[in-house]
Amino acid sequence: MCGVTIVTTAGRPDAQSEALAQQAANALQCRFVSRQKRSVQKLSSHYDAHVIVAGKERYEYFAKGASAPFFFHPNSAAFRLKRIARGEREPFLDATVLRAGMSFLDCTLGIGSDSLVAAYVVGEQGSVTGLEANTNIAFIVKQGMYMYDTTELPLTACMRHIEVVATEAVAYLQQQPDNSVDVVYMDPMFEEVIEESTNFTALREAGEHITLSEQWVHEAKRVARQRVVLKAHYTSTWFTQYGFLQQKRESAKFHFGVWEKE
């Protein structure tokens, strides 16, 4: 669900970036194009395609028409984990009530910040699966979690514990048994743009904009063993429309909604 994609190297490729480019082309079954000193914009225009660039240390994804590339970075997860380790409150955990050994399904992985926090809490005895509808973004995040600086613990251990699956959420949920995952989590692209969240601009431009639906919520509630958690803009009507108890927070632009299985 991402259209025509080509893979190329950085502007001045070396053997490592060429190998990474070929790895991406093979994994995504798309065409490798030699850079030949051409700009990413020129390549995108010439081939009418999205472009994945293999650099020396990371992949970057240039979606057609996007103003900035998407690449993996742990983003807010790093300082969130430090706050949790200090015993500070984390609204995401207040909503999900995750504990060691639990299973967590993130229906909208994106850059993976919430899944990283979940992986830290559930530990090695638990499980975290992240779904991403855009195949290119799923590849970038999966590889980014694998390639990221291994000296940064416990962040690295959390990354290695997340299973990234390139699929659309409803299709995946339909294949799961009843009551098979402790917590199912949904964070669709907000109906309202939060201007302060500029670090998500590249993801918003490159990602799939799949809105919440009755079918999606129904399947999530069927699969969840304990609860379904929805993250949405604080003005969203989704909370009441789909039967979630909205956890309101002063000054927060997004709220969590919780549905608990009886």
Side-chain angles (χ1 to χ4, degrees):
M1 196 184 289
C2 54
V4 177
T5 300
I6 61 172
V7 178
T8 190
T9 60
R12 296 181 178 180
D14 58 8
Q16 182 179 0
S17 61
E18 289 179 352
L20 288 173
Q22 195 59 58
Q23 176 185 336
N26 292 341
L28 295 168
Q29 298 184 329
C30 57
R31 181 178 180 181
F32 168 76
V33 175
S34 178
R35 185 68 177 261
Q36 297 179 349
K37 299 182 179 180
R38 290 174 290 182
S39 69
V40 172
Q41 290 73 21
K42 183 172 289 188
L43 287 171
S44 179
S45 176
H46 179 78
Y47 291 96
D48 190 25
H50 308 301
V51 181
I52 291 178
V53 176
K56 295 180 180 180
E57 298 180 351
R58 72 185 187 195
Y59 291 102
E60 294 188 343
Y61 174 40
F62 294 79
K64 284 193 298 184
S67 60
F70 173 78
F71 57 89
F72 174 77
H73 189 277
N75 198 32
S76 63
F79 65 79
R80 288 171 70 188
L81 292 187
K82 291 177 181 177
R83 290 206 314 258
I84 294 168
R86 292 196 298 265
E88 296 181 24
R89 182 185 176 191
E90 166 59 50
F92 167 75
L93 295 180
D94 290 342
T96 56
V97 199
L98 289 170
R99 299 183 304 277
M102 292 177 66
S103 55
F104 177 81
L105 174 62
D106 187 343
C107 291
T108 46
L109 180 65
I111 205 165
S113 295
D114 289 325
S115 279
L116 283 167
V117 173
Y120 175 76
V121 175
V122 303
E124 292 185 2
Q125 301 306 312
S127 67
V128 174
T129 302
L131 312 181
E132 174 51 54
N134 186 294
T135 306
N136 290 341
I137 290 178
F139 175 81
I140 296 292
V141 173
K142 183 175 183 178
Q143 293 301 313
M145 288 182 174
Y146 176 77
M147 296 166 64
Y148 197 75
D149 183 6
T150 56
T151 63
E152 202 168 333
L153 294 171
L155 194 62
T156 302
C158 298
M159 293 178 190
R160 306 296 190 267
H161 193 50
I162 298 171
E163 180 186 6
V164 178
V165 182
T167 185
E168 194 270 325
V170 174
Y172 181 90
L173 287 166
Q174 288 175 328
Q175 299 175 20
Q176 307 310 306
D178 295 356
N179 306 311
S180 55
V181 180
D182 289 319
V183 179
V184 177
Y185 180 62
M186 304 181 295
D187 177 14
M189 292 286 185
F190 295 137
E191 309 107 300
E192 300 290 336
V193 175
I194 299 177
E195 298 298 338
E196 294 91 329
S197 298
T198 55
N199 54 331
F200 286 102
T201 298
L203 176 61
R204 178 177 290 279
E205 292 180 339
E208 305 295 331
H209 290 245
I210 302 174
T211 192
L212 200 62
S213 67
E214 189 72 44
Q215 183 183 25
W216 187 354
V217 174
H218 170 77
E219 292 295 336
K221 291 180 177 180
R222 179 186 62 79
V223 171
R225 185 181 296 117
Q226 296 188 16
R227 64 183 51 81
V228 180
V229 177
L230 169 67
K231 180 181 179 182
H233 192 270
Y234 75 100
T235 63
S236 178
T237 60
W238 286 343
F239 298 113
T240 55
Q241 181 179 353
Y242 295 116
F244 289 86
L245 179 62
Q246 185 173 355
Q247 297 183 342
K248 298 181 179 180
R249 297 184 295 135
E250 289 187 15
S251 75
K253 294 297 180 68
F254 65 86
H255 289 168
F256 293 105
V258 177
W259 175 87
E260 294 189 82
K261 182 158 284 186
E262 297 180 355

